[in-house]
PDB file of all heavy atoms in Angstrom:
ATOM      1  N   ARG A 819       3.379   9.366   2.604  1.00 94.00           N
ATOM      2  CA  ARG A 819       4.797   9.385   2.334  1.00 94.00           C
ATOM      3  C   ARG A 819       5.615   8.605   3.332  1.00 94.00           C
ATOM      4  O   ARG A 819       6.604   8.046   3.019  1.00 94.00           O
ATOM      5  CB  ARG A 819       5.242  10.809   2.130  1.00 94.00           C
ATOM      6  CG  ARG A 819       6.722  11.137   1.907  1.00 94.00           C
ATOM      7  CD  ARG A 819       6.892  12.601   1.771  1.00 94.00           C
ATOM      8  NE  ARG A 819       6.349  13.319   2.800  1.00 94.00           N
ATOM      9  CZ  ARG A 819       6.334  14.635   3.026  1.00 94.00           C
ATOM     10  NH1 ARG A 819       6.956  15.480   1.955  1.00 94.00           N
ATOM     11  NH2 ARG A 819       5.720  15.269   3.984  1.00 94.00           N
ATOM     12  N   GLY A 820       5.141   8.810   4.637  1.00 93.00           N
ATOM     13  CA  GLY A 820       5.869   8.110   5.737  1.00 93.00           C
ATOM     14  C   GLY A 820       5.545   6.531   5.966  1.00 93.00           C
ATOM     15  O   GLY A 820       6.107   6.122   6.900  1.00 93.00           O
ATOM     16  N   GLY A 821       4.550   6.111   5.216  1.00 95.00           N
ATOM     17  CA  GLY A 821       4.392   4.708   5.280  1.00 95.00           C
ATOM     18  C   GLY A 821       3.044   4.245   6.053  1.00 95.00           C
ATOM     19  O   GLY A 821       2.838   3.039   6.178  1.00 95.00           O
ATOM     20  N   THR A 822       2.277   5.286   6.516  1.00 97.00           N
ATOM     21  CA  THR A 822       1.030   4.929   7.168  1.00 97.00           C
ATOM     22  C   THR A 822      -0.029   4.549   6.142  1.00 97.00           C
ATOM     23  O   THR A 822      -0.218   5.323   5.166  1.00 97.00           O
ATOM     24  CB  THR A 822       0.456   6.205   7.975  1.00 97.00           C
ATOM     25  OG1 THR A 822       1.521   6.436   9.025  1.00 97.00           O
ATOM     26  CG2 THR A 822      -0.837   5.760   8.723  1.00 97.00           C
ATOM     27  N   SER A 823      -0.768   3.464   6.329  1.00 98.00           N
ATOM     28  CA  SER A 823      -1.657   2.923   5.424  1.00 98.00           C
ATOM     29  C   SER A 823      -2.981   2.915   5.881  1.00 98.00           C
ATOM     30  O   SER A 823      -3.274   2.702   7.136  1.00 98.00           O
ATOM     31  CB  SER A 823      -1.284   1.560   4.818  1.00 98.00           C
ATOM     32  OG  SER A 823      -1.144   0.566   5.913  1.00 98.00           O
ATOM     33  N   ASN A 824      -3.970   2.895   4.973  1.00 98.00           N
ATOM     34  CA  ASN A 824      -5.441   2.660   5.331  1.00 98.00           C
ATOM     35  C   ASN A 824      -6.106   1.929   4.357  1.00 98.00           C
ATOM     36  O   ASN A 824      -5.811   2.027   3.144  1.00 98.00           O
ATOM     37  CB  ASN A 824      -6.139   4.123   5.434  1.00 98.00           C
ATOM     38  CG  ASN A 824      -7.532   4.078   5.997  1.00 98.00           C
ATOM     39  OD1 ASN A 824      -7.813   3.291   6.872  1.00 98.00           O
ATOM     40  ND2 ASN A 824      -8.499   4.765   5.300  1.00 98.00           N
ATOM     41  N   TYR A 825      -7.100   0.980   4.726  1.00 98.00           N
ATOM     42  CA  TYR A 825      -7.688   0.143   3.807  1.00 98.00           C
ATOM     43  C   TYR A 825      -9.233   0.241   3.872  1.00 98.00           C
ATOM     44  O   TYR A 825      -9.766   0.489   4.896  1.00 98.00           O
ATOM     45  CB  TYR A 825      -7.228  -1.350   4.045  1.00 98.00           C
ATOM     46  CG  TYR A 825      -5.784  -1.636   3.920  1.00 98.00           C
ATOM     47  CD1 TYR A 825      -4.984  -1.470   4.945  1.00 98.00           C
ATOM     48  CD2 TYR A 825      -5.341  -2.078   2.732  1.00 98.00           C
ATOM     49  CE1 TYR A 825      -3.631  -1.766   4.875  1.00 98.00           C
ATOM     50  CE2 TYR A 825      -3.922  -2.381   2.638  1.00 98.00           C
ATOM     51  CZ  TYR A 825      -3.075  -2.195   3.641  1.00 98.00           C
ATOM     52  OH  TYR A 825      -1.695  -2.419   3.598  1.00 98.00           O
ATOM     53  N   ALA A 826      -9.891  -0.060   2.730  1.00 98.00           N
ATOM     54  CA  ALA A 826     -11.245  -0.271   2.829  1.00 98.00           C
ATOM     55  C   ALA A 826     -11.565  -1.547   3.656  1.00 98.00           C
ATOM     56  O   ALA A 826     -10.839  -2.589   3.608  1.00 98.00           O
ATOM     57  CB  ALA A 826     -11.877  -0.445   1.397  1.00 98.00           C
ATOM     58  N   ASP A 827     -12.633  -1.580   4.264  1.00 98.00           N
ATOM     59  CA  ASP A 827     -13.016  -2.760   5.061  1.00 98.00           C
ATOM     60  C   ASP A 827     -13.114  -4.015   4.390  1.00 98.00           C
ATOM     61  O   ASP A 827     -12.828  -5.074   4.863  1.00 98.00           O
ATOM     62  CB  ASP A 827     -14.327  -2.459   5.809  1.00 98.00           C
ATOM     63  CG  ASP A 827     -14.299  -1.538   6.921  1.00 98.00           C
ATOM     64  OD1 ASP A 827     -13.209  -1.156   7.423  1.00 98.00           O
ATOM     65  OD2 ASP A 827     -15.394  -0.895   7.336  1.00 98.00           O
ATOM     66  N   SER A 828     -13.617  -3.927   3.086  1.00 98.00           N
ATOM     67  CA  SER A 828     -13.740  -5.144   2.220  1.00 98.00           C
ATOM     68  C   SER A 828     -12.497  -5.721   1.875  1.00 98.00           C
ATOM     69  O   SER A 828     -12.481  -6.954   1.381  1.00 98.00           O
ATOM     70  CB  SER A 828     -14.496  -4.709   0.871  1.00 98.00           C
ATOM     71  OG  SER A 828     -13.804  -3.753   0.170  1.00 98.00           O
ATOM     72  N   VAL A 829     -11.251  -5.065   2.027  1.00 98.00           N
ATOM     73  CA  VAL A 829     -10.030  -5.751   1.617  1.00 98.00           C
ATOM     74  C   VAL A 829      -9.042  -5.960   2.775  1.00 98.00           C
ATOM     75  O   VAL A 829      -8.045  -6.477   2.629  1.00 98.00           O
ATOM     76  CB  VAL A 829      -9.315  -4.932   0.607  1.00 98.00           C
ATOM     77  CG1 VAL A 829     -10.346  -4.757  -0.619  1.00 98.00           C
ATOM     78  CG2 VAL A 829      -8.899  -3.678   0.974  1.00 98.00           C
ATOM     79  N   LYS A 830      -9.418  -5.378   4.020  1.00 98.00           N
ATOM     80  CA  LYS A 830      -8.606  -5.619   5.200  1.00 98.00           C
ATOM     81  C   LYS A 830      -8.258  -7.045   5.344  1.00 98.00           C
ATOM     82  O   LYS A 830      -9.263  -7.951   5.390  1.00 98.00           O
ATOM     83  CB  LYS A 830      -9.277  -5.012   6.343  1.00 98.00           C
ATOM     84  CG  LYS A 830      -9.233  -3.522   6.329  1.00 98.00           C
ATOM     85  CD  LYS A 830      -9.753  -2.945   7.655  1.00 98.00           C
ATOM     86  CE  LYS A 830      -9.779  -1.435   7.626  1.00 98.00           C
ATOM     87  NZ  LYS A 830     -10.428  -0.888   8.886  1.00 98.00           N
ATOM     88  N   GLY A 831      -6.990  -7.318   5.682  1.00 98.00           N
ATOM     89  CA  GLY A 831      -6.534  -8.648   5.884  1.00 98.00           C
ATOM     90  C   GLY A 831      -6.183  -9.477   4.612  1.00 98.00           C
ATOM     91  O   GLY A 831      -5.666 -10.638   4.662  1.00 98.00           O
ATOM     92  N   ARG A 832      -6.499  -8.936   3.421  1.00 98.00           N
ATOM     93  CA  ARG A 832      -6.260  -9.629   2.196  1.00 98.00           C
ATOM     94  C   ARG A 832      -5.348  -8.954   1.279  1.00 98.00           C
ATOM     95  O   ARG A 832      -4.533  -9.450   0.520  1.00 98.00           O
ATOM     96  CB  ARG A 832      -7.601  -9.839   1.467  1.00 98.00           C
ATOM     97  CG  ARG A 832      -8.577 -10.764   2.174  1.00 98.00           C
ATOM     98  CD  ARG A 832      -9.760 -11.140   1.317  1.00 98.00           C
ATOM     99  NE  ARG A 832     -10.497  -9.986   0.837  1.00 98.00           N
ATOM    100  CZ  ARG A 832     -10.738  -9.643  -0.378  1.00 98.00           C
ATOM    101  NH1 ARG A 832     -10.174 -10.364  -1.379  1.00 98.00           N
ATOM    102  NH2 ARG A 832     -11.521  -8.568  -0.636  1.00 98.00           N
ATOM    103  N   PHE A 833      -5.459  -7.520   1.234  1.00 98.00           N
ATOM    104  CA  PHE A 833      -4.599  -6.739   0.445  1.00 98.00           C
ATOM    105  C   PHE A 833      -3.660  -6.043   1.244  1.00 98.00           C
ATOM    106  O   PHE A 833      -3.808  -5.647   2.477  1.00 98.00           O
ATOM    107  CB  PHE A 833      -5.451  -5.661  -0.292  1.00 98.00           C
ATOM    108  CG  PHE A 833      -6.380  -6.157  -1.332  1.00 98.00           C
ATOM    109  CD1 PHE A 833      -6.602  -7.522  -1.364  1.00 98.00           C
ATOM    110  CD2 PHE A 833      -7.099  -5.338  -2.158  1.00 98.00           C
ATOM    111  CE1 PHE A 833      -7.475  -8.005  -2.438  1.00 98.00           C
ATOM    112  CE2 PHE A 833      -7.970  -5.786  -3.132  1.00 98.00           C
ATOM    113  CZ  PHE A 833      -8.143  -7.194  -3.188  1.00 98.00           C
ATOM    114  N   THR A 834      -2.409  -5.652   0.719  1.00 98.00           N
ATOM    115  CA  THR A 834      -1.294  -5.069   1.303  1.00 98.00           C
ATOM    116  C   THR A 834      -0.694  -3.949   0.383  1.00 98.00           C
ATOM    117  O   THR A 834      -0.388  -4.325  -0.768  1.00 98.00           O
ATOM    118  CB  THR A 834      -0.226  -5.857   1.895  1.00 98.00           C
ATOM    119  OG1 THR A 834      -0.692  -6.846   2.730  1.00 98.00           O
ATOM    120  CG2 THR A 834       0.848  -5.034   2.516  1.00 98.00           C
ATOM    121  N   ILE A 835      -0.929  -2.624   0.830  1.00 98.00           N
ATOM    122  CA  ILE A 835      -0.148  -1.577   0.005  1.00 98.00           C
ATOM    123  C   ILE A 835       1.216  -1.250   0.516  1.00 98.00           C
ATOM    124  O   ILE A 835       1.510  -1.338   1.743  1.00 98.00           O
ATOM    125  CB  ILE A 835      -1.135  -0.338   0.070  1.00 98.00           C
ATOM    126  CG1 ILE A 835      -0.566   0.699  -0.923  1.00 98.00           C
ATOM    127  CG2 ILE A 835      -1.304   0.290   1.391  1.00 98.00           C
ATOM    128  CD1 ILE A 835      -1.703   1.892  -1.215  1.00 98.00           C
ATOM    129  N   SER A 836       1.963  -0.943  -0.317  1.00 98.00           N
ATOM    130  CA  SER A 836       3.397  -0.565  -0.071  1.00 98.00           C
ATOM    131  C   SER A 836       4.075   0.496  -1.003  1.00 98.00           C
ATOM    132  O   SER A 836       3.470   0.569  -2.100  1.00 98.00           O
ATOM    133  CB  SER A 836       4.402  -1.821   0.100  1.00 98.00           C
ATOM    134  OG  SER A 836       4.404  -2.556  -1.113  1.00 98.00           O
ATOM    135  N   ARG A 837       5.079   1.031  -0.799  1.00 97.00           N
ATOM    136  CA  ARG A 837       5.657   2.049  -1.675  1.00 97.00           C
ATOM    137  C   ARG A 837       7.119   2.000  -1.464  1.00 97.00           C
ATOM    138  O   ARG A 837       7.730   1.725  -0.539  1.00 97.00           O
ATOM    139  CB  ARG A 837       5.082   3.344  -1.613  1.00 97.00           C
ATOM    140  CG  ARG A 837       5.377   4.087  -0.223  1.00 97.00           C
ATOM    141  CD  ARG A 837       4.617   5.313   0.015  1.00 97.00           C
ATOM    142  NE  ARG A 837       5.098   6.400  -0.810  1.00 97.00           N
ATOM    143  CZ  ARG A 837       4.484   7.554  -0.988  1.00 97.00           C
ATOM    144  NH1 ARG A 837       3.372   7.886  -0.325  1.00 97.00           N
ATOM    145  NH2 ARG A 837       4.998   8.459  -1.771  1.00 97.00           N
ATOM    146  N   ASP A 838       7.817   2.375  -2.578  1.00 96.00           N
ATOM    147  CA  ASP A 838       9.249   2.521  -2.646  1.00 96.00           C
ATOM    148  C   ASP A 838       9.493   3.961  -3.043  1.00 96.00           C
ATOM    149  O   ASP A 838       9.381   4.250  -4.360  1.00 96.00           O
ATOM    150  CB  ASP A 838       9.875   1.464  -3.665  1.00 96.00           C
ATOM    151  CG  ASP A 838      11.360   1.602  -3.595  1.00 96.00           C
ATOM    152  OD1 ASP A 838      12.046   2.672  -3.164  1.00 96.00           O
ATOM    153  OD2 ASP A 838      12.061   0.533  -4.003  1.00 96.00           O
ATOM    154  N   ASN A 839       9.882   4.821  -2.181  1.00 94.00           N
ATOM    155  CA  ASN A 839      10.075   6.290  -2.496  1.00 94.00           C
ATOM    156  C   ASN A 839      11.231   6.499  -3.419  1.00 94.00           C
ATOM    157  O   ASN A 839      11.198   7.513  -4.083  1.00 94.00           O
ATOM    158  CB  ASN A 839      10.129   7.099  -1.224  1.00 94.00           C
ATOM    159  CG  ASN A 839       8.811   7.145  -0.470  1.00 94.00           C
ATOM    160  OD1 ASN A 839       7.735   6.925  -1.051  1.00 94.00           O
ATOM    161  ND2 ASN A 839       8.922   7.386   0.860  1.00 94.00           N
ATOM    162  N   THR A 840      12.200   5.552  -3.407  1.00 94.00           N
ATOM    163  CA  THR A 840      13.309   5.785  -4.273  1.00 94.00           C
ATOM    164  C   THR A 840      12.954   5.569  -5.649  1.00 94.00           C
ATOM    165  O   THR A 840      13.670   5.967  -6.670  1.00 94.00           O
ATOM    166  CB  THR A 840      14.583   4.841  -3.899  1.00 94.00           C
ATOM    167  OG1 THR A 840      14.148   3.560  -4.127  1.00 94.00           O
ATOM    168  CG2 THR A 840      14.846   5.095  -2.423  1.00 94.00           C
ATOM    169  N   LYS A 841      11.977   4.713  -5.958  1.00 95.00           N
ATOM    170  CA  LYS A 841      11.519   4.456  -7.280  1.00 95.00           C
ATOM    171  C   LYS A 841      10.150   5.085  -7.675  1.00 95.00           C
ATOM    172  O   LYS A 841       9.566   4.945  -8.749  1.00 95.00           O
ATOM    173  CB  LYS A 841      11.322   3.009  -7.505  1.00 95.00           C
ATOM    174  CG  LYS A 841      12.543   2.129  -7.243  1.00 95.00           C
ATOM    175  CD  LYS A 841      12.252   0.649  -7.383  1.00 95.00           C
ATOM    176  CE  LYS A 841      13.569  -0.145  -7.189  1.00 95.00           C
ATOM    177  NZ  LYS A 841      13.351  -1.587  -7.351  1.00 95.00           N
ATOM    178  N   ASN A 842       9.575   5.967  -6.734  1.00 96.00           N
ATOM    179  CA  ASN A 842       8.263   6.602  -6.963  1.00 96.00           C
ATOM    180  C   ASN A 842       7.311   5.565  -7.494  1.00 96.00           C
ATOM    181  O   ASN A 842       6.467   5.808  -8.334  1.00 96.00           O
ATOM    182  CB  ASN A 842       8.405   7.696  -8.035  1.00 96.00           C
ATOM    183  CG  ASN A 842       9.159   8.885  -7.425  1.00 96.00           C
ATOM    184  OD1 ASN A 842       9.199   9.188  -6.291  1.00 96.00           O
ATOM    185  ND2 ASN A 842       9.861   9.697  -8.352  1.00 96.00           N
ATOM    186  N   THR A 843       7.303   4.430  -6.706  1.00 97.00           N
ATOM    187  CA  THR A 843       6.332   3.452  -7.075  1.00 97.00           C
ATOM    188  C   THR A 843       5.480   2.969  -5.850  1.00 97.00           C
ATOM    189  O   THR A 843       5.992   2.840  -4.777  1.00 97.00           O
ATOM    190  CB  THR A 843       7.185   2.195  -7.591  1.00 97.00           C
ATOM    191  OG1 THR A 843       7.928   2.543  -8.806  1.00 97.00           O
ATOM    192  CG2 THR A 843       6.330   0.994  -7.980  1.00 97.00           C
ATOM    193  N   VAL A 844       4.258   2.636  -6.150  1.00 98.00           N
ATOM    194  CA  VAL A 844       3.324   2.035  -5.133  1.00 98.00           C
ATOM    195  C   VAL A 844       2.944   0.654  -5.609  1.00 98.00           C
ATOM    196  O   VAL A 844       2.751   0.463  -6.887  1.00 98.00           O
ATOM    197  CB  VAL A 844       2.178   3.000  -4.777  1.00 98.00           C
ATOM    198  CG1 VAL A 844       1.297   3.176  -6.139  1.00 98.00           C
ATOM    199  CG2 VAL A 844       1.237   2.450  -3.760  1.00 98.00           C
ATOM    200  N   TYR A 845       2.682  -0.322  -4.705  1.00 98.00           N
ATOM    201  CA  TYR A 845       2.391  -1.626  -5.031  1.00 98.00           C
ATOM    202  C   TYR A 845       1.001  -2.032  -4.310  1.00 98.00           C
ATOM    203  O   TYR A 845       0.826  -1.386  -3.138  1.00 98.00           O
ATOM    204  CB  TYR A 845       3.423  -2.689  -4.675  1.00 98.00           C
ATOM    205  CG  TYR A 845       4.746  -2.300  -5.130  1.00 98.00           C
ATOM    206  CD1 TYR A 845       5.659  -1.534  -4.412  1.00 98.00           C
ATOM    207  CD2 TYR A 845       5.157  -2.732  -6.419  1.00 98.00           C
ATOM    208  CE1 TYR A 845       6.947  -1.129  -4.941  1.00 98.00           C
ATOM    209  CE2 TYR A 845       6.362  -2.478  -6.878  1.00 98.00           C
ATOM    210  CZ  TYR A 845       7.297  -1.646  -6.185  1.00 98.00           C
ATOM    211  OH  TYR A 845       8.563  -1.374  -6.658  1.00 98.00           O
ATOM    212  N   LEU A 846       0.298  -2.850  -4.865  1.00 98.00           N
ATOM    213  CA  LEU A 846      -0.858  -3.523  -4.094  1.00 98.00           C
ATOM    214  C   LEU A 846      -0.706  -5.026  -4.259  1.00 98.00           C
ATOM    215  O   LEU A 846      -0.981  -5.496  -5.367  1.00 98.00           O
ATOM    216  CB  LEU A 846      -2.181  -2.952  -4.682  1.00 98.00           C
ATOM    217  CG  LEU A 846      -3.329  -3.390  -3.893  1.00 98.00           C
ATOM    218  CD1 LEU A 846      -3.459  -2.817  -2.541  1.00 98.00           C
ATOM    219  CD2 LEU A 846      -4.636  -3.004  -4.688  1.00 98.00           C
ATOM    220  N   GLN A 847      -0.483  -5.661  -3.129  1.00 98.00           N
ATOM    221  CA  GLN A 847      -0.440  -7.194  -3.141  1.00 98.00           C
ATOM    222  C   GLN A 847      -1.914  -7.604  -2.802  1.00 98.00           C
ATOM    223  O   GLN A 847      -2.404  -7.319  -1.698  1.00 98.00           O
ATOM    224  CB  GLN A 847       0.498  -7.734  -2.129  1.00 98.00           C
ATOM    225  CG  GLN A 847       0.467  -9.158  -2.041  1.00 98.00           C
ATOM    226  CD  GLN A 847       1.083  -9.985  -3.267  1.00 98.00           C
ATOM    227  OE1 GLN A 847       2.076  -9.381  -3.902  1.00 98.00           O
ATOM    228  NE2 GLN A 847       0.296 -10.900  -3.761  1.00 98.00           N
TER     229      GLN A 847
END
């Protein structure tokens, strides 16, 4: 909820997770 993220080793450096709490939405670039 506070914005701390964790990634699988296989996607680190390539994928980015983010969220917009005002929209209850999570994204994966």
Side-chain angles (χ1 to χ4, degrees):
R819 177 179 50 186
T822 301
S823 59
N824 186 46
Y825 298 89
D827 289 341
S828 59
V829 306
K830 286 182 178 178
R832 300 188 298 120
F833 291 9
T834 302
I835 189 171
S836 61
R837 65 189 289 173
D838 185 341
N839 291 335
T840 67
K841 299 179 179 180
N842 290 330
T843 299
V844 63
Y845 307 92
L846 185 67
Q847 179 66 46

